[in-house]
Amino acid sequence: MEASFDLVVRSPQGALSNMRVRASDAASAAAQATHRGMQVLRCAPSDRIGSTRFASAAASGGQLDMAVFSQELASLVAAGLAVVEALRTLAAKETSGSRRALLRDVANSVSEGLPLSAALARHPGQFPALLVATVTASEQTGDLSTSLQRYAQHQDSFKSLRDRVVGAAVYPLLLLAVGSIVVLFLLGVVVPKFATLIESTRAELPWTSQLLMSWGRMVAGHPWAVAAGASAAIVGVVTLIRQTMRTGARARWIERLPFIGRTVRQFRHAQLYRTTGMLVHGGIAAPRALQLCATLLGHEDQLRLQRAVALIREGRSISQALSEAQLGDAVAISMLAVAERTGALAEILERIAQFHEHRLQRSIELASRLFEPALMIVIGLVIGAIVVLMYLPIFDLASSLQ
C-alpha cells in the first residue's frame, strides 16, 4: 500500500526544495528523488492530520511578535550560539504550545540542512515575506545578527508610527461614538414619548417639529422594525470597520476620501521607503526590494510601482522610474537623484522615510486640532437642534395657555 512522503532535497545546482511523492516505504520514496538527480536530505511520512492541527493551532493564537523574535534571535546569535541552538532556546522559553511547536519545527528544518530562510518560508502564515527576504540577504553576506536587528528596528519604527496614527484617531472616534449614542437615545426613546404627548394637545406645530414628531410616532408605532433596522446598520458599520482593519486599510474607497486618503497614502509611502531601505541595506537589489514592498501600497500605487520596476529593469534610474510612474513626490525624486550620484541609496531611503513620517505627524496634529473642535460643534448642534425642536411645541402650548 502506497503512502505519501515529504522530502527535502537538493538539486544538482545546489538549490533546496520540498517535494511530496507516493511510495510503499521511505526507501522507495528516497530512491524516486535520487533517480531524478536529487540529493535527499530528509524523508518523512506526510502527516496531514498533524500538519492541519499544527496550522490551526498556530492560527488560533500562536502568532509570534516578529520584532521581539528578531531581536531575541539576533542577540542569541551575536552571543555565539548556533542558529539551531538559538531557535531551540527561544522555543524552550515560550509559554504557548503552538509557538513552541512552530519554533521547534523551524529548528528541526535548519538542523536537517535547510537554510534559515527556507525554514521560515515553510510557514508563510507565521513569518512575513520581508523577514524571509532579510534572512536570505544575510545568508549571502554572513551577517545574520545585524540583519535581524535591523529588521527588529524596522518593526519597532513601523509600530511607533502606526501607534501615533491610531492614538490621534482614538479621541475623535470616542467623541463620535458617544455623540451617536446620545442622538440615538433622543431619537429612539425621548422623541417618541414627546410625540405621543404633543399629539394629544393637537396644537399647531412648526414644520420642523412636525417632521421630528412624525419620526417619533413612527418609532412608537413600529419599535421592533426600527430597532432591527438600527441593529442592521450598526452591524454593517462594524463589519466594514473590521474588514478595513483586516485588509490594512487598502480599500480603494479610502484612497478617494478628501483628507484621509492623502494621509493614508503618506503612511504607506513612509513604509515603502523605510522597508526598501532596510532591504537594500541588507544586500537585496533595489528592483527586488521594491517588489517585496508592493503589498504595503494601495491598489493604484501598486500598479505604479510595477511600472517603475519595469522601467528600472529597462535601464532607467530609480528616480527617473518613480517620476515617470508618478509614484514619488518632488522631495523623494530629488533625494533619490542624490543617492544615485553618491551611492548611498539605503541611507537616502531612510531619510526619505523620516521626511514622510515627520510630514505625516504634522498632518495628523493639524487634522486633530481642526477636526476635534469641528466634530464637537457638529454633535452639539445636532443634539441641540433635536432638543429645541422637541421643546418648541411646549413653548407654543405655554404661550397659548397664557
Side-chain angles (χ1 to χ4, degrees), residues 233-258:
I234 293 174
V235 170
V237 171
V238 172
T239 303
L240 178 62
I241 293 174
R242 292 183 62 182
Q243 183 178 2
T244 302
M245 294 177 64
R246 191 182 303 114
T247 58
R250 286 177 175 79
R252 297 186 184 183
W253 62 269
I254 294 180
E255 299 179 0
R256 298 186 177 93
L257 295 178

PDB file of all heavy atoms in Angstrom, residues 233-258:
ATOM      1  N   ALA A 233     -27.841  48.381  10.666  1.00  0.00           N
ATOM      2  CA  ALA A 233     -26.908  49.449  10.315  1.00  0.00           C
ATOM      3  C   ALA A 233     -25.648  49.385  11.167  1.00  0.00           C
ATOM      4  O   ALA A 233     -24.525  49.547  10.659  1.00  0.00           O
ATOM      5  CB  ALA A 233     -27.579  50.808  10.465  1.00  0.00           C
ATOM      6  N   ILE A 234     -25.816  49.119  12.467  1.00  0.00           N
ATOM      7  CA  ILE A 234     -24.659  49.033  13.358  1.00  0.00           C
ATOM      8  C   ILE A 234     -23.776  47.850  12.975  1.00  0.00           C
ATOM      9  O   ILE A 234     -22.542  47.951  12.918  1.00  0.00           O
ATOM     10  CB  ILE A 234     -25.122  48.925  14.822  1.00  0.00           C
ATOM     11  CG1 ILE A 234     -25.806  50.229  15.257  1.00  0.00           C
ATOM     12  CG2 ILE A 234     -23.949  48.609  15.738  1.00  0.00           C
ATOM     13  CD1 ILE A 234     -26.418  50.161  16.639  1.00  0.00           C
ATOM     14  N   VAL A 235     -24.410  46.712  12.685  1.00  0.00           N
ATOM     15  CA  VAL A 235     -23.639  45.525  12.276  1.00  0.00           C
ATOM     16  C   VAL A 235     -22.890  45.796  10.971  1.00  0.00           C
ATOM     17  O   VAL A 235     -21.734  45.392  10.801  1.00  0.00           O
ATOM     18  CB  VAL A 235     -24.578  44.312  12.129  1.00  0.00           C
ATOM     19  CG1 VAL A 235     -23.844  43.144  11.481  1.00  0.00           C
ATOM     20  CG2 VAL A 235     -25.122  43.897  13.488  1.00  0.00           C
ATOM     21  N   GLY A 236     -23.534  46.507  10.039  1.00  0.00           N
ATOM     22  CA  GLY A 236     -22.870  46.834   8.782  1.00  0.00           C
ATOM     23  C   GLY A 236     -21.663  47.725   8.986  1.00  0.00           C
ATOM     24  O   GLY A 236     -20.606  47.507   8.370  1.00  0.00           O
ATOM     25  N   VAL A 237     -21.784  48.712   9.873  1.00  0.00           N
ATOM     26  CA  VAL A 237     -20.661  49.611  10.144  1.00  0.00           C
ATOM     27  C   VAL A 237     -19.513  48.850  10.809  1.00  0.00           C
ATOM     28  O   VAL A 237     -18.337  49.017  10.440  1.00  0.00           O
ATOM     29  CB  VAL A 237     -21.122  50.789  11.023  1.00  0.00           C
ATOM     30  CG1 VAL A 237     -19.927  51.611  11.492  1.00  0.00           C
ATOM     31  CG2 VAL A 237     -22.096  51.671  10.258  1.00  0.00           C
ATOM     32  N   VAL A 238     -19.852  48.005  11.789  1.00  0.00           N
ATOM     33  CA  VAL A 238     -18.814  47.229  12.476  1.00  0.00           C
ATOM     34  C   VAL A 238     -18.116  46.278  11.507  1.00  0.00           C
ATOM     35  O   VAL A 238     -16.893  46.124  11.526  1.00  0.00           O
ATOM     36  CB  VAL A 238     -19.429  46.454  13.656  1.00  0.00           C
ATOM     37  CG1 VAL A 238     -18.406  45.487  14.260  1.00  0.00           C
ATOM     38  CG2 VAL A 238     -19.927  47.429  14.723  1.00  0.00           C
ATOM     39  N   THR A 239     -18.892  45.638  10.624  1.00  0.00           N
ATOM     40  CA  THR A 239     -18.307  44.735   9.630  1.00  0.00           C
ATOM     41  C   THR A 239     -17.377  45.481   8.685  1.00  0.00           C
ATOM     42  O   THR A 239     -16.287  44.993   8.344  1.00  0.00           O
ATOM     43  CB  THR A 239     -19.419  44.052   8.829  1.00  0.00           C
ATOM     44  OG1 THR A 239     -20.290  43.352   9.724  1.00  0.00           O
ATOM     45  CG2 THR A 239     -18.829  43.072   7.819  1.00  0.00           C
ATOM     46  N   LEU A 240     -17.795  46.685   8.268  1.00  0.00           N
ATOM     47  CA  LEU A 240     -16.946  47.483   7.379  1.00  0.00           C
ATOM     48  C   LEU A 240     -15.646  47.869   8.067  1.00  0.00           C
ATOM     49  O   LEU A 240     -14.566  47.809   7.451  1.00  0.00           O
ATOM     50  CB  LEU A 240     -17.709  48.738   6.943  1.00  0.00           C
ATOM     51  CG  LEU A 240     -16.954  49.713   6.035  1.00  0.00           C
ATOM     52  CD1 LEU A 240     -16.574  49.037   4.726  1.00  0.00           C
ATOM     53  CD2 LEU A 240     -17.800  50.956   5.769  1.00  0.00           C
ATOM     54  N   ILE A 241     -15.724  48.234   9.349  1.00  0.00           N
ATOM     55  CA  ILE A 241     -14.514  48.612  10.082  1.00  0.00           C
ATOM     56  C   ILE A 241     -13.584  47.412  10.234  1.00  0.00           C
ATOM     57  O   ILE A 241     -12.365  47.516  10.028  1.00  0.00           O
ATOM     58  CB  ILE A 241     -14.892  49.190  11.461  1.00  0.00           C
ATOM     59  CG1 ILE A 241     -15.636  50.528  11.286  1.00  0.00           C
ATOM     60  CG2 ILE A 241     -13.653  49.393  12.322  1.00  0.00           C
ATOM     61  CD1 ILE A 241     -16.162  51.101  12.577  1.00  0.00           C
ATOM     62  N   ARG A 242     -14.147  46.249  10.570  1.00  0.00           N
ATOM     63  CA  ARG A 242     -13.314  45.049  10.737  1.00  0.00           C
ATOM     64  C   ARG A 242     -12.678  44.639   9.413  1.00  0.00           C
ATOM     65  O   ARG A 242     -11.511  44.234   9.377  1.00  0.00           O
ATOM     66  CB  ARG A 242     -14.159  43.906  11.287  1.00  0.00           C
ATOM     67  CG  ARG A 242     -14.639  44.113  12.712  1.00  0.00           C
ATOM     68  CD  ARG A 242     -15.405  42.922  13.230  1.00  0.00           C
ATOM     69  NE  ARG A 242     -14.560  41.731  13.253  1.00  0.00           N
ATOM     70  CZ  ARG A 242     -14.996  40.530  13.634  1.00  0.00           C
ATOM     71  NH1 ARG A 242     -16.254  40.365  13.991  1.00  0.00           N
ATOM     72  NH2 ARG A 242     -14.180  39.500  13.640  1.00  0.00           N
ATOM     73  N   GLN A 243     -13.424  44.744   8.331  1.00  0.00           N
ATOM     74  CA  GLN A 243     -12.870  44.393   7.028  1.00  0.00           C
ATOM     75  C   GLN A 243     -11.751  45.357   6.634  1.00  0.00           C
ATOM     76  O   GLN A 243     -10.729  44.958   6.080  1.00  0.00           O
ATOM     77  CB  GLN A 243     -13.968  44.406   5.964  1.00  0.00           C
ATOM     78  CG  GLN A 243     -13.494  43.981   4.573  1.00  0.00           C
ATOM     79  CD  GLN A 243     -14.623  43.973   3.565  1.00  0.00           C
ATOM     80  OE1 GLN A 243     -15.750  44.316   3.894  1.00  0.00           O
ATOM     81  NE2 GLN A 243     -14.329  43.590   2.339  1.00  0.00           N
ATOM     82  N   THR A 244     -11.955  46.639   6.945  1.00  0.00           N
ATOM     83  CA  THR A 244     -10.926  47.634   6.651  1.00  0.00           C
ATOM     84  C   THR A 244      -9.660  47.367   7.450  1.00  0.00           C
ATOM     85  O   THR A 244      -8.545  47.457   6.935  1.00  0.00           O
ATOM     86  CB  THR A 244     -11.450  49.041   6.950  1.00  0.00           C
ATOM     87  OG1 THR A 244     -12.629  49.275   6.177  1.00  0.00           O
ATOM     88  CG2 THR A 244     -10.406  50.091   6.608  1.00  0.00           C
ATOM     89  N   MET A 245      -9.830  47.001   8.729  1.00  0.00           N
ATOM     90  CA  MET A 245      -8.662  46.690   9.552  1.00  0.00           C
ATOM     91  C   MET A 245      -7.983  45.415   9.078  1.00  0.00           C
ATOM     92  O   MET A 245      -6.753  45.297   9.110  1.00  0.00           O
ATOM     93  CB  MET A 245      -9.097  46.543  11.018  1.00  0.00           C
ATOM     94  CG  MET A 245      -9.597  47.829  11.646  1.00  0.00           C
ATOM     95  SD  MET A 245     -10.169  47.594  13.350  1.00  0.00           S
ATOM     96  CE  MET A 245      -8.633  47.102  14.138  1.00  0.00           C
ATOM     97  N   ARG A 246      -8.765  44.430   8.622  1.00  0.00           N
ATOM     98  CA  ARG A 246      -8.189  43.176   8.160  1.00  0.00           C
ATOM     99  C   ARG A 246      -7.392  43.362   6.880  1.00  0.00           C
ATOM    100  O   ARG A 246      -6.357  42.740   6.674  1.00  0.00           O
ATOM    101  CB  ARG A 246      -9.303  42.151   7.929  1.00  0.00           C
ATOM    102  CG  ARG A 246      -8.784  40.728   7.693  1.00  0.00           C
ATOM    103  CD  ARG A 246      -9.924  39.765   7.418  1.00  0.00           C
ATOM    104  NE  ARG A 246     -10.883  39.765   8.493  1.00  0.00           N
ATOM    105  CZ  ARG A 246     -12.134  40.188   8.370  1.00  0.00           C
ATOM    106  NH1 ARG A 246     -12.569  40.636   7.205  1.00  0.00           N
ATOM    107  NH2 ARG A 246     -12.963  40.163   9.390  1.00  0.00           N
ATOM    108  N   THR A 247      -7.867  44.219   5.998  1.00  0.00           N
ATOM    109  CA  THR A 247      -7.172  44.455   4.735  1.00  0.00           C
ATOM    110  C   THR A 247      -6.093  45.520   4.856  1.00  0.00           C
ATOM    111  O   THR A 247      -5.483  45.889   3.850  1.00  0.00           O
ATOM    112  CB  THR A 247      -8.171  44.886   3.655  1.00  0.00           C
ATOM    113  OG1 THR A 247      -8.874  46.070   4.087  1.00  0.00           O
ATOM    114  CG2 THR A 247      -9.178  43.794   3.390  1.00  0.00           C
ATOM    115  N   GLY A 248      -5.864  46.047   6.070  1.00  0.00           N
ATOM    116  CA  GLY A 248      -4.824  47.057   6.220  1.00  0.00           C
ATOM    117  C   GLY A 248      -5.200  48.401   5.623  1.00  0.00           C
ATOM    118  O   GLY A 248      -4.362  49.160   5.190  1.00  0.00           O
ATOM    119  N   ALA A 249      -6.478  48.713   5.624  1.00  0.00           N
ATOM    120  CA  ALA A 249      -6.970  49.998   5.098  1.00  0.00           C
ATOM    121  C   ALA A 249      -6.537  50.214   3.653  1.00  0.00           C
ATOM    122  O   ALA A 249      -6.144  51.292   3.256  1.00  0.00           O
ATOM    123  CB  ALA A 249      -6.494  51.158   5.982  1.00  0.00           C
ATOM    124  N   ARG A 250      -6.624  49.151   2.842  1.00  0.00           N
ATOM    125  CA  ARG A 250      -6.226  49.249   1.441  1.00  0.00           C
ATOM    126  C   ARG A 250      -7.414  49.267   0.491  1.00  0.00           C
ATOM    127  O   ARG A 250      -7.261  49.042  -0.702  1.00  0.00           O
ATOM    128  CB  ARG A 250      -5.284  48.094   1.081  1.00  0.00           C
ATOM    129  CG  ARG A 250      -3.897  48.301   1.671  1.00  0.00           C
ATOM    130  CD  ARG A 250      -2.983  47.130   1.385  1.00  0.00           C
ATOM    131  NE  ARG A 250      -1.646  47.409   1.860  1.00  0.00           N
ATOM    132  CZ  ARG A 250      -1.267  47.318   3.119  1.00  0.00           C
ATOM    133  NH1 ARG A 250      -2.120  46.942   4.025  1.00  0.00           N
ATOM    134  NH2 ARG A 250      -0.027  47.606   3.482  1.00  0.00           N
ATOM    135  N   ALA A 251      -8.610  49.458   1.023  1.00  0.00           N
ATOM    136  CA  ALA A 251      -9.774  49.547   0.150  1.00  0.00           C
ATOM    137  C   ALA A 251      -9.664  50.791  -0.731  1.00  0.00           C
ATOM    138  O   ALA A 251      -9.166  51.837  -0.307  1.00  0.00           O
ATOM    139  CB  ALA A 251     -11.049  49.608   0.991  1.00  0.00           C
ATOM    140  N   ARG A 252     -10.147  50.665  -1.954  1.00  0.00           N
ATOM    141  CA  ARG A 252      -9.985  51.763  -2.899  1.00  0.00           C
ATOM    142  C   ARG A 252     -10.747  53.004  -2.475  1.00  0.00           C
ATOM    143  O   ARG A 252     -10.315  54.123  -2.735  1.00  0.00           O
ATOM    144  CB  ARG A 252     -10.450  51.308  -4.287  1.00  0.00           C
ATOM    145  CG  ARG A 252      -9.630  50.165  -4.867  1.00  0.00           C
ATOM    146  CD  ARG A 252     -10.044  49.866  -6.295  1.00  0.00           C
ATOM    147  NE  ARG A 252      -9.328  48.711  -6.811  1.00  0.00           N
ATOM    148  CZ  ARG A 252      -9.449  48.260  -8.052  1.00  0.00           C
ATOM    149  NH1 ARG A 252     -10.283  48.856  -8.895  1.00  0.00           N
ATOM    150  NH2 ARG A 252      -8.764  47.211  -8.459  1.00  0.00           N
ATOM    151  N   TRP A 253     -11.902  52.805  -1.807  1.00  0.00           N
ATOM    152  CA  TRP A 253     -12.695  53.973  -1.447  1.00  0.00           C
ATOM    153  C   TRP A 253     -11.988  54.842  -0.417  1.00  0.00           C
ATOM    154  O   TRP A 253     -12.236  56.052  -0.343  1.00  0.00           O
ATOM    155  CB  TRP A 253     -14.062  53.542  -0.924  1.00  0.00           C
ATOM    156  CG  TRP A 253     -14.023  52.693   0.324  1.00  0.00           C
ATOM    157  CD1 TRP A 253     -13.970  51.341   0.397  1.00  0.00           C
ATOM    158  CD2 TRP A 253     -14.029  53.161   1.680  1.00  0.00           C
ATOM    159  NE1 TRP A 253     -13.937  50.919   1.698  1.00  0.00           N
ATOM    160  CE2 TRP A 253     -13.980  52.012   2.513  1.00  0.00           C
ATOM    161  CE3 TRP A 253     -14.076  54.412   2.268  1.00  0.00           C
ATOM    162  CZ2 TRP A 253     -13.973  52.094   3.893  1.00  0.00           C
ATOM    163  CZ3 TRP A 253     -14.070  54.499   3.654  1.00  0.00           C
ATOM    164  CH2 TRP A 253     -14.024  53.355   4.449  1.00  0.00           C
ATOM    165  N   ILE A 254     -11.089  54.241   0.388  1.00  0.00           N
ATOM    166  CA  ILE A 254     -10.356  55.031   1.380  1.00  0.00           C
ATOM    167  C   ILE A 254      -9.425  56.019   0.682  1.00  0.00           C
ATOM    168  O   ILE A 254      -9.244  57.154   1.135  1.00  0.00           O
ATOM    169  CB  ILE A 254      -9.575  54.097   2.322  1.00  0.00           C
ATOM    170  CG1 ILE A 254     -10.550  53.262   3.160  1.00  0.00           C
ATOM    171  CG2 ILE A 254      -8.646  54.883   3.237  1.00  0.00           C
ATOM    172  CD1 ILE A 254      -9.885  52.324   4.118  1.00  0.00           C
ATOM    173  N   GLU A 255      -8.854  55.587  -0.439  1.00  0.00           N
ATOM    174  CA  GLU A 255      -7.914  56.458  -1.147  1.00  0.00           C
ATOM    175  C   GLU A 255      -8.607  57.668  -1.759  1.00  0.00           C
ATOM    176  O   GLU A 255      -7.942  58.651  -2.089  1.00  0.00           O
ATOM    177  CB  GLU A 255      -7.213  55.660  -2.249  1.00  0.00           C
ATOM    178  CG  GLU A 255      -6.406  54.471  -1.728  1.00  0.00           C
ATOM    179  CD  GLU A 255      -5.756  53.687  -2.858  1.00  0.00           C
ATOM    180  OE1 GLU A 255      -5.948  54.098  -4.022  1.00  0.00           O
ATOM    181  OE2 GLU A 255      -5.070  52.701  -2.581  1.00  0.00           O
ATOM    182  N   ARG A 256      -9.921  57.612  -1.909  1.00  0.00           N
ATOM    183  CA  ARG A 256     -10.636  58.715  -2.540  1.00  0.00           C
ATOM    184  C   ARG A 256     -11.206  59.706  -1.528  1.00  0.00           C
ATOM    185  O   ARG A 256     -11.797  60.720  -1.927  1.00  0.00           O
ATOM    186  CB  ARG A 256     -11.774  58.161  -3.412  1.00  0.00           C
ATOM    187  CG  ARG A 256     -11.275  57.275  -4.550  1.00  0.00           C
ATOM    188  CD  ARG A 256     -12.419  56.860  -5.466  1.00  0.00           C
ATOM    189  NE  ARG A 256     -11.936  56.074  -6.593  1.00  0.00           N
ATOM    190  CZ  ARG A 256     -11.880  54.756  -6.618  1.00  0.00           C
ATOM    191  NH1 ARG A 256     -12.292  54.070  -5.552  1.00  0.00           N
ATOM    192  NH2 ARG A 256     -11.443  54.108  -7.678  1.00  0.00           N
ATOM    193  N   LEU A 257     -11.077  59.436  -0.239  1.00  0.00           N
ATOM    194  CA  LEU A 257     -11.564  60.385   0.763  1.00  0.00           C
ATOM    195  C   LEU A 257     -10.697  61.636   0.743  1.00  0.00           C
ATOM    196  O   LEU A 257      -9.477  61.562   0.561  1.00  0.00           O
ATOM    197  CB  LEU A 257     -11.534  59.738   2.154  1.00  0.00           C
ATOM    198  CG  LEU A 257     -12.480  58.540   2.348  1.00  0.00           C
ATOM    199  CD1 LEU A 257     -12.326  57.971   3.742  1.00  0.00           C
ATOM    200  CD2 LEU A 257     -13.919  58.942   2.086  1.00  0.00           C
ATOM    201  N   PRO A 258     -11.297  62.826   0.934  1.00  0.00           N
ATOM    202  CA  PRO A 258     -10.572  64.097   0.733  1.00  0.00           C
ATOM    203  C   PRO A 258      -9.269  64.202   1.508  1.00  0.00           C
ATOM    204  O   PRO A 258      -8.216  64.396   0.933  1.00  0.00           O
ATOM    205  CB  PRO A 258     -11.600  65.145   1.185  1.00  0.00           C
ATOM    206  CG  PRO A 258     -12.921  64.481   0.984  1.00  0.00           C
ATOM    207  CD  PRO A 258     -12.708  63.035   1.254  1.00  0.00           C
TER     208      PRO A 258
END
